[in-house]
C-alpha cells in the first residue's frame, strides 16, 4: 500500500466505524443494496460451480484409479505367502491362478476404459471448469469496483458531515468561511465520484445477472451430455467384460453365494475367530498356541466353565456345573463311567460355603494382602508362569479388572503369572 493509500485509509476509518455501527448520516441506496446482495450470491455460486465441476472431474479419474488399486490388492491376497513358515501352502507355486489372472484382466480393462474416457474428461475441463474460471476473473474485477464505490461513499458521507457541521455554526469567523468554501468544494467532488461508481454498478450489475443465465445455459448443457457419454462408456465397457472367472448369468446374490461356498463355516470353525481380547499386547509374544490355543489347558478350562462339552451344542445354552480341571486323569465330564470318590469329594467341597474372612489387624497398620483360591490345576506353559494345584491359595501381586487376562501372584517363595479365571473369588 502506498503512502497516499495509507493516508486515505486512516482518514476514512472514523466514517467506516460510524457506517459499521449505523451512526450518523449514512447514505443508503435500496436499488444498489439489492444488486449487491444478488452479486454476492453470484460470486458464491460461481465459486461453487467451479469447485464442484473440478471435484466431478477428479472423482471420475479417482474412481478408475481405485478400481485398478482394488484389483491389485485382490491379486496380492490370492498369492501365497511363499517361503513363510506361517503359510501351509508355501510350497505351492500359486494360491489361486484363475483369480490372479482375472484381476490382471480386470486391471487391463479399466486402464483401457480410463484411456477411452480421457477425451471426455478433458472436455469437462475445457467446457465447464475453464469457463467457470473466466467468470470468476470477471467477478474479481467487479469486486474491486464495489470496493472502490464503498470508499467513495465513505468520502461522500464524511465530507457531507463536515459541511453540515460548518453550516450549522451560528457565528462564523473568516477561518470558518474559508473552511466552509473548501468543504463545499470537497462535497461536490465526492458527490461526482460516488454517483459515478454507484450508478455504474446499478446500471450494469442487472445486465451481468442476465448474461449469467445465458452463460450457465450452455455450460449446463455441455455438462449433461458429457456426463451421459461418461456413463454410457462405463456401462458399455463393463457389460462387455468377458472374464471366465465371473459368472454373469446369475444375479448378484446367487453369484456371491456360489463363489463364497462354505468358507464362512470354515472360518467360524477356527478357535481364533471366537477368541475375545481386551486389546492388550501379548506379554511374551510367544504366540497364541502356547497360551490361548484350542489345545491348551486354559482354553479347555474356559469351555468347561461355560458348560460346552465336546458333544454339546453351543446354541443350546445349557449351563452344566464344570468339573475341576486336572491333568491327573479324573475323567471327562461326558464320560459314562461313575465319578471317583476323590472327584465327588472335590465337588462336595466346592459347594460348601467359604470360611469366614479373618478380621484385619487394625493395630499393625499394614493392609491385608489379597489372595485367591485355585479353581483348577495349572501347569506352567512358559518361563515365568506360576504352577499350582486345585485348592492352593495364591497371594496376588498385581491384577487387572478383567479376570480373562493374566494376573501375577505368588505361593510361598514362588512367583509368576497365571490365568485370572483359574481362581475362586478374591479373598482379603
Amino acid at each position: 500500500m502506498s503512502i497516499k493509500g495509507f493516508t486515505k485509509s486512516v482518514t476514512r476509518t472514523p466514517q467506516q466505524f460510524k457506517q459499521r455501527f449505523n451512526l450518523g448520516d449514512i447514505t443508503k441506496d435500496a436499488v444498489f443494496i439489492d444488486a449487491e446482495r444478488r452479486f454476492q450470491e453470484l460470486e458464491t455460486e460461481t465459486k461453487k460451480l467451479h469447485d464442484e465441476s473440478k471435484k466431478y472431474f477428479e472423482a471420475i479419474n479417482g474412481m478408475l484409479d481405485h478400481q485398478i488399486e482394488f484389483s491389485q490388492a485382490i491379486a496380492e491376497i490370492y498369492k501365497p505367502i511363499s517361503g513363510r513358515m506361517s503359510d501351509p501352502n508355501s510350497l505351492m507355486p500359486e494360491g489361486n491362478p484363475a483369480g490372479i489372472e482375472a484381476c490382471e484382466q480386470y486391471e487391463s480393462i479399466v486402464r483401457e476404459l480410463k484411456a477411452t474416457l480421457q477425451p471426455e474428461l478433458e472436455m469437462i475441463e475445457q467446457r465447464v471448469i475453464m469457463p467457470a474460471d473466466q467468470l470468476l476473473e470477471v467477478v474479481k474485477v467487479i469486486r474491486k469496483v464495489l470496493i472502490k464505490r464503498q470508499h467513495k461513499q465513505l468520502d461522500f458521507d464524511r465530507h457531507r458531515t463536515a459541511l453540515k457541521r460548518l453550516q450549522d455554526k451560528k457565528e462564523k469567523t473568516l477561518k470558518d468561511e474559508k473552511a466552509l468554501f473548501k468543504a463545499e468544494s470537497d462535497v461536490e467532488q465526492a458527490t461526482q465520484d460516488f454517483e459515478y461508481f454507484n450508478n455504474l454498478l446499478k446500471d450494469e450489475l442487472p445486465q451481468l445477472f442476465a448474461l449469467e443465465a445465458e452463460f450457465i445455459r450452455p455450460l449446463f448443457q455441455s455438462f449433461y451430455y458429457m456426463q451421459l457419454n461418461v456413463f454410457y462408456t462405463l456401462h458399455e465397457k463393463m457389460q462387455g467384460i468377458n472374464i471366465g472367472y465371473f459368472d454373469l448369468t446369475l444375479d448378484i446374490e446367487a453369484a456371491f453365494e456360489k463363489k463364497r461356498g462354505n468358507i464362512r463355516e470354515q472360518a467360524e470353525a477356527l478357535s481364533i475367530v471366537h477368541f475375545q481380547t481386551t486389546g492388550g499386547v501379548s506379554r511374551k509374544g510367544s504366540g497364541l498356541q502356547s497360551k490361548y490355543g484350542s489345545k491348551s489347558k486354559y482354553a479347555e478350562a474356559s469351555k468347561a466353565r461355560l458348560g460346552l462339552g465336546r458333544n454339546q451344542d453351543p446354541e443350546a445354552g445349557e449351563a452344566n456345573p464344570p468339573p475341576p480341571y486336572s491333568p491327573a486323569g479324573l475323567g471327562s465330564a461326558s464320560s459314562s463311567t461313575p465319578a471317583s470318590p476323590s472327584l465327588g469329594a472335590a465337588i462336595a467341597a466346592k459347594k460348601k460355603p467359604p470360611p469366614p474372612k479373618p478380621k484385619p489387624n487394625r493395630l499393625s497398620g499394614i493392609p491385608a494382602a489379597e489372595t485367591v483360591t485355585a479353581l483348577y490345576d495349572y501347569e506352567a506353559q512358559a518361563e515365568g508362569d506360576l504352577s499350582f494345584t486345585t485348592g492352593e491359595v495364591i497371594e496376588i501381586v498385581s491384577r487387572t479388572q478383567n479376570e480373562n487376562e493374566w494376573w501375577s501372584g505368588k505361593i510361598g517363595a514362588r512367583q509368576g503369572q497365571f490365568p485370572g479365571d483359574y481362581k475362586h473369588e478374591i479373598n482379603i
Side-chain angles (χ1 to χ4, degrees), residues 249-275:
T249 60
L250 302 175
D251 60 17
I252 295 177
E253 186 174 357
F256 173 78
E257 293 295 340
K258 179 181 178 181
K259 281 292 181 186
R260 186 176 70 168
N262 66 339
I263 191 64
R264 181 176 179 180
E265 290 75 11
Q266 294 180 35
E268 290 181 348
L270 299 175
S271 299
I272 195 171
V273 176
H274 302 283
F275 182 75

Side-chain angles (χ1 to χ4, degrees), residues 399-425:
R399 66 181 179 89
T400 64
Q401 296 299 323
N402 188 349
E403 67 173 17
N404 291 321
E405 296 180 346
W406 289 83
W407 294 6
S408 179
K410 64 180 182 178
I411 302 174
R414 296 184 294 113
Q415 182 172 332
Q417 294 180 321
F418 66 95
D421 57 353
Y422 266 52
K423 49 81 184 146
H424 280 301
E425 63 179 9

Side-chain angles (χ1 to χ4, degrees), residues 55-111:
K55 286 179 183 177
Y56 178 81
F57 173 80
E58 294 172 349
I60 298 295
N61 273 315
M63 177 186 68
L64 299 174
D65 290 337
H66 288 315
Q67 285 178 278
I68 293 173
E69 292 172 3
F70 178 83
S71 61
Q72 291 173 346
I74 293 292
E76 287 299 320
I77 293 174
Y78 280 154
K79 295 177 182 178
I81 312 174
S82 301
R84 304 285 180 89
M85 293 297 294
S86 59
D87 184 11
N89 299 320
S90 59
L91 299 178
M92 296 175 59
E94 294 291 351
N96 186 350
I100 295 173
E101 183 181 359
C103 290
E104 294 172 350
Q105 292 176 359
Y106 182 78
E107 180 181 346
S108 175
I109 290 172
V110 176
R111 290 190 184 280

Side-chain angles (χ1 to χ4, degrees), residues 5 21 26 28 46 48 54 70 110 117 125 147-148 162 180 205 218 240 258 279 294 312 314 317 325 327 345 357:
F21 293 97
I26 308 298
K28 295 182 180 179
T46 303
K48 186 183 293 185
K54 195 169 184 179
F70 178 83
V110 176
L117 287 176
E125 189 170 19
I147 295 174
K148 193 76 173 177
L180 182 62
L205 277 179
K258 179 181 178 181
S294 60
Q312 184 177 341
Y325 182 84
K357 298 179 182 178

